[in-house]
Amino acid sequence: MRKNIVAGNWKMNNDLKATKKLVKQIRKSIKKAELNNTRVIIAPTFVNLSAAVKRSKKSKIEVAAQNMHQANNGAFTGEISAEMLKGVGVKTVILGHSERRAYFGETDAILAEKVNAALANKLEIIFCFGEELADRKAGNEEAVVESQIKNALFHLEADAFKNIVLAYEPVWAIGTGETASPEQAQDMHSFIRKTLADKYGNNVSDNVSILYGGSVKPANAQEIFSKPDVDGGLIGGAALKAEDFYSIITAF
Ligand code: PEP
């Protein structure tokens, strides 16, 4: 069932003290808010997940991880597995963020393995993808997005999409202050839904939530979220300030 979602990707920000403070502020701000069925997700760094889970108990905040390794355990120094995330109460993981792809060499093939590992461990996935500026300038944005989705997800059965949220994040709009226009976001989201419908049918494409990410702020969230195929946002910078995050959550 399609749901509105606002997810904050905290990236490598907020130490333990700042994590506790921000969770407390978000928790307080949304306590009495009319959320219109909007799911609120935060993704702190690995070391602060436990604390965030603990402090989000009995609130509407859900806690996600920003990444995970594809193996369940073994000689992978510095890595974290799906099992470990589940062990600290995390139920959702972000996979395929453009920073993971660009700085840590995550390919579609690796992401397909991570997707399998997350689903096998019953973790929900927020799967990110999006074109770079050069792709858009060359008019290749749909081809790039289509191949990212196909390569990492199209080996799955339709049923798997019950546990997948898609996040379209044009790389040129992430952390740059430049946002895709609401029309550009809508056009791409509608293309993504059609790509899913062609492969899996309308039952999958109508029910998957597709988030937009890329410099979403209180000032532009409402217009972007008003588009029919946009089901919310993956938020970077603006998720680090409780007031801004709250304005975005309540923008529906
Ligand atoms: C992100 O990193 O997923 C993101 C959308 O960042 P920002 O909102 O800062 O552009």
Side-chain angles (χ1 to χ4, degrees):
M1 181 61 187
R2 222 161 128 182
K3 274 220 149 191
N4 293 336
I5 299 173
V6 174
N9 173 14
W10 291 7
K11 309 193 184 188
M12 198 173 70
N13 294 297
N14 289 334
D15 62 9
L16 180 61
K17 195 168 162 214
T19 297
K20 289 179 185 171
K21 186 171 166 201
L22 187 51
V23 173
K24 194 171 167 190
Q25 288 172 330
I26 297 170
R27 193 183 167 120
K28 194 166 163 216
S29 74
I30 64 172
K31 199 168 176 193
K32 294 201 181 99
E34 182 46 75
L35 294 183
N36 292 323
N37 268 331
T38 303
R39 288 176 63 193
V40 177
I41 302 177
I42 56 168
T45 57
F46 284 132
V47 290
N48 294 323
L49 286 171
S50 253
V53 168
K54 192 168 155 203
R55 280 166 180 76
S56 302
K57 288 235 162 78
K58 299 207 176 96
S59 82
K60 289 171 185 152
I61 302 172
E62 301 171 47
V63 179
Q66 299 173 17
N67 179 36
M68 54 163 249
H69 193 270
Q70 57 272 38
N72 269 342
N73 47 53
F76 301 102
T77 302
E79 292 291 335
I80 308 282
S81 71
E83 265 180 12
M84 293 166 185
L85 296 179
K86 278 206 319 189
V88 295
V90 166
K91 298 198 172 70
T92 303
V93 61
I94 298 172
L95 293 177
H97 191 278
S98 66
E99 287 149 19
R100 298 295 317 168
R101 294 176 189 258
Y103 308 144
F104 303 97
E106 292 197 7
T107 59
D108 290 345
I110 293 172
L111 289 168
E113 288 182 41
K114 291 193 176 199
V115 163
N116 292 344
L119 293 174
N121 283 285
K122 301 204 163 26
L123 285 176
E124 176 189 50
I125 297 166
I126 299 178
F127 184 75
C128 307
F129 52 87
E131 82 283 0
E132 301 199 10
L133 186 58
D135 302 318
R136 185 159 278 267
K137 281 193 170 154
N140 289 336
E141 64 273 16
E142 289 187 350
V144 169
V145 161
E146 187 177 3
S147 78
Q148 288 172 326
I149 294 174
K150 282 189 172 168
N151 293 341
L153 302 178
F154 273 17
H155 61 285
L156 299 170
E157 301 290 334
D159 227 34
F161 284 83
K162 288 184 184 147
N163 289 313
I164 295 178
V165 171
L166 299 177
Y168 167 58
E169 299 206 297
V171 178
W172 48 272
I174 297 180
T176 58
E178 196 168 333
T179 321
S181 68
E183 291 70 30
Q184 283 172 320
Q186 168 56 28
D187 286 350
M188 185 58 88
H189 283 221
S190 149
F191 171 75
I192 294 162
R193 245 181 251 290
K194 185 181 170 303
T195 305
L196 284 176
D198 290 346
K199 166 83 176 165
Y200 292 105
N202 290 343
N203 198 29
V204 168
S205 68
D206 287 348
N207 285 309
V208 72
S209 295
I210 309 179
L211 314 184
Y212 167 79
S215 300
V216 176
K217 304 182 256 309
N220 59 23
Q222 196 160 19
E223 211 188 340
I224 296 171
F225 294 174
S226 71
K227 294 294 175 193
D229 285 305
V230 179
D231 303 309
L234 182 56
I235 320 296
L240 297 172
K241 275 177 97 186
E243 312 93 90
D244 288 355
F245 194 53
Y246 175 77
S247 300
I248 296 170
I249 292 164
T250 51
F252 282 100

